[in-house]
Amino acid sequence: SYQLSEYDFETQRQLEKELSTVYKHFEILIEKVKINETAQTVISEELAQIKEQLDIIREGQQDFALKLQALRKDEFEAREKLKELSKKVGETVRLVSKSNVPGLPEDYKYLFEDTNDSLQNVKYQLEEKPLNISALNQYLEIAVLTVEKLTNSTIELLENVMLAEKAIQYGNRYKSQYPAVAKGLSDAEMAFRHYEYQEALEQAAATLDIIDPDALKKIKATFVLE
């Protein structure tokens, strides 16, 4: 079920070889007992040697068994983590849909595609037989990072949309009085219509700074309260 390293295979082969050697030693000892030509003390010593060798082999086999259990545990945890990440992406999609964002920036779309690709890569790895746990964990690590980045980018995107919208609305009351404000807000609105919300917010904030340096701080306070 699992893809093992050459070292693991060599370890298992060595254990089998040692077990075969011990078994042959045991067979020879049985023959010595049958012909009754060997002193009991010698037989006892050889039996003690065989027991010591078997204990070493048993310990090696137990270590190998623990390694396989660890691989199974990693597989189970990867499957559970994939479910959790897929659920988180689904929640993010619903959040964006519910927020009625006018449109999505291209870099956000690319990030969303990258996130789906990274989750798909984990699924492909889980379907591989034998399963390569090392590769699976690497792809899973990438998936965790991309989902985290998508989640943070989504929160930032929605905040930028709301703040840019409110900043433009706040500044509209001053457009007729200040030509510079009218020009700045016009540029902010243009960026907003092209789904460049970060740029729209920065432009609107810089424009509001002309008339009220604390304007954005006031808007953010209102935004948090909502």
Side-chain angles (χ1 to χ4, degrees):
S1 298
Y2 301 99
Q3 195 175 120
L4 302 174
S5 67
E6 185 54 38
Y7 172 80
D8 292 326
F9 283 119
E10 183 55 38
T11 300
Q12 187 63 13
R13 283 194 290 266
Q14 189 61 35
L15 287 172
E16 290 170 1
K17 191 187 295 183
E18 289 172 6
L19 191 59
S20 177
T21 301
V22 171
Y23 185 71
K24 286 174 184 174
H25 187 180
F26 180 73
E27 285 184 320
I28 293 169
L29 188 59
I30 290 295
E31 291 302 317
K32 287 180 180 179
V33 171
K34 283 180 182 177
I35 60 177
N36 199 26
E37 288 184 356
T38 308
Q40 289 296 318
T41 52
V42 174
I43 290 174
S44 295
E45 286 173 4
E46 291 194 33
L47 277 173
Q49 287 177 9
I50 289 172
K51 182 182 182 302
E52 187 178 334
Q53 289 171 316
L54 283 173
D55 286 342
I56 293 170
I57 293 169
R58 185 184 295 112
E59 188 178 327
Q61 288 177 328
Q62 286 173 345
D63 289 344
F64 197 76
L66 287 173
K67 187 160 197 170
L68 291 177
Q69 286 175 13
L71 292 176
R72 291 190 188 96
K73 183 184 175 187
D74 283 350
E75 179 191 358
F76 175 77
E77 288 178 352
R79 291 186 185 279
E80 291 302 304
K81 192 65 179 178
L82 179 60
K83 288 180 188 175
E84 180 190 322
L85 293 175
S86 298
K87 181 182 177 184
K88 193 174 284 188
V89 171
E91 289 170 351
T92 301
V93 171
R94 285 191 290 276
L95 180 62
V96 173
S97 177
K98 193 170 67 174
S99 300
N100 296 317
V101 177
L104 298 174
E106 288 301 311
D107 58 347
Y108 183 85
K109 289 180 183 177
Y110 291 139
L111 175 58
F112 187 76
E113 288 173 8
D114 284 345
T115 304
N116 280 330
D117 288 344
S118 67
L119 292 179
Q120 197 61 46
N121 286 334
V122 176
K123 289 178 185 176
Y124 287 148
Q125 286 299 315
L126 284 167
E127 289 166 5
E128 286 287 316
K129 296 295 178 189
L131 188 61
N132 187 330
I133 293 294
S134 177
L136 170 63
N137 285 337
Q138 287 176 9
Y139 280 110
L140 186 61
E141 188 177 344
I142 293 169
V144 169
L145 291 174
T146 54
V147 170
E148 184 180 346
K149 186 176 180 181
L150 178 69
T151 303
N152 293 336
S153 296
T154 300
I155 293 169
E156 184 182 356
L157 170 70
L158 298 180
E159 285 182 353
N160 286 342
V161 170
M162 295 293 291
L163 286 172
E165 211 166 25
K166 287 179 179 292
I168 291 169
Q169 289 170 358
Y170 183 93
N172 280 340
R173 71 188 79 171
Y174 301 101
K175 285 171 73 173
S176 58
Q177 297 172 255
Y178 302 95
V181 170
K183 172 66 171 64
L185 291 181
S186 176
D187 291 342
E189 287 171 356
M190 181 67 72
F192 193 93
R193 283 196 293 271
H194 285 89
Y195 316 139
E196 295 167 355
Y197 305 116
Q198 178 70 36
E199 186 181 330
L201 176 59
E202 290 172 359
Q203 179 64 50
T207 302
L208 292 182
D209 200 46
I210 299 171
I211 50 172
D212 184 357
D214 294 325
L216 193 61
K217 191 184 293 184
K218 295 173 185 174
I219 293 167
K220 282 184 177 179
T222 308
F223 175 66
V224 172
L225 287 174
E226 291 181 356

